[in-house]
Amino acid sequence: MTDMTPIDYRQREYSDAIKAFLARGPRLFINNEWVESSHGATIGVEDPSSGKEITRIADASDRDVDRAVAAARTAFDDGRWTGLAPNARERIIHRFADLLEAHADEFAEIEAIDNGKPKGMAAAVDIPGAISQLRFMAGWASKISGEVIQPYTMPTGTVFGYTLREPVGVCGQIVPWNFPLLMACLKIAPALAAGCTLVLKPAEQTPLTALRLADLVAEAGFPAGVVNIITGYGHTAGDRMVKHPDVDKIAFTGSTEIGKLINRNATDTLKHVTLELGGKSPVVIMPDVNVAEVAPGAAGAIFFNSGQVCVAGSRLFAHRSIFDQVIEGVAATAPFWAPRPSLDAEAHAGPLVSKEQFDRVMGYIEAGKRDGASVAMGGDAPTADGYYVNPTVLVDVNPQMSVVREEIFGPVVVAQRFDDLDEVAKAANDTCFGLGAGVWTRDVATMHKLAAKIKSGTVWGNCHAVIDTALPFGGYKESGIGREQGRAGIEAYLETKSVILQL
Ligand code: ADP
């Protein structure tokens, strides 16, 4: 693979539409209006492909958060959204999805510039995924209903008992930087379908698609105050939402460390909390597979989105009899997954999101080497202005090493051998996380056995990280609390009220 043309790490030129978008002043979206922050402080936003600051966003103050929460509170309490006919809510959410679809190319470019992921990947995965979340949940708006229940201790016909499903109320939604728009829509869609109002805070590193999305809110027909989008830091603006007495629910996706902190901080007001957190997902390759076909799948499981994926297949377990072949097959994908600037049309992977993340990932690689791991692929970073890390495979690892135990959130996989099914199931479960797992085999019985043994919210067979809006998604153990997507996803935004009438 040494005959590759050298990669040009300079970011390509932005389109005029994006340049104009970036030139807007820092604003918050509250009550269907763009407003200034109360204290005028701002946060710089970088393009990770170049490491350069490209715009500044508002750093929401406590007063700004309070203002956004008050807007959502009023909009919830006066029934301007909850009180609409379900089919009216459904139509507005669909219109929102239509508008997003109409601007798909622009959203893909913004996401690429802001997060560093290739524009082609954003266009193929993030934007359609975001639209799909909205469309699937839009339909739920008109399918929420309680049930009539026959009481247990009272004679039939003397009491009429039934349940009502009601929206939880005002939701604070805090999302991370790895799939900014997709995560935002994954949070917004069920809340709106349930009849909730919300304040969304994107990650400070990647706020741009959420801000562009705010432009479409009023046009879609949402009444003022139903969708509020504010930018700011987690420990200030995010924290204020978590502790706010007028916020009824916090939905968070991010690191396990911050998820635990949020869970603690939400206790005083006893909010509903759903948490989608970190992972260290195993990928198990059984000896019966065709290695030439499966190795690229195992590589994609970790190198897609430069490994900045909560379900990234970061622990590879290959059967001893095929281990060397699997590593060779994974290593052969290096040119495909080599990071390039996000607007390079040939890119399949981009830089990491920030300098902080770059340092973190390189620190893990160095720690792995110090602990005795060998580098079978990558292990280094190209000389460039952006935050590029070459896809990396570490072998000769053991379960005590930090590279094996901790979530790296970068393009780094640790590979281990195993001999039998029970042994690999035990090794796969030897982690505090439980988000996803991949199993590659042609044997249906092995597949089902491992699916039952592995403790994680999702198990994939002969694929990895396939996400569908209809299927619930979430974590076992320290990977989270609650489920998103599917029926479970809408349930997480509903209260259940029992009504008992004496006849
Ligand atoms: P990562 O470690 O992947 O950068 P974090 O878990 O730190 O992710 O951040 C995910 C989201 O949580 C971001 O929107 C961030 O601003 C927010 N956040 C960080 N700290 C807090 C906090 N103490 N309270 C509320 N939100 C927070």
Side-chain angles (χ1 to χ4, degrees), residues 413-436:
V413 63
V414 292
Q416 292 162 274
R417 297 172 175 79
F418 71 92
D419 292 297
D420 68 59
L421 194 142
D422 286 334
E423 177 201 353
V424 75
K426 201 162 164 239
N429 288 331
D430 181 20
T431 167
C432 64
F433 299 110
L435 198 55

Side-chain angles (χ1 to χ4, degrees), residues 174-177 201-205 232-235 238-239 242 252-255 258 261-262 265 409:
I174 302 175
V175 294
W177 44 256
K201 191 196 84 61
E204 52 274 28
Q205 298 88 342
Y233 290 111
H235 64 281
D239 186 60
V242 170
F252 169 80
T253 298
S255 61
I258 300 296
L261 182 66
I262 285 178
N265 288 342
F409 228 63

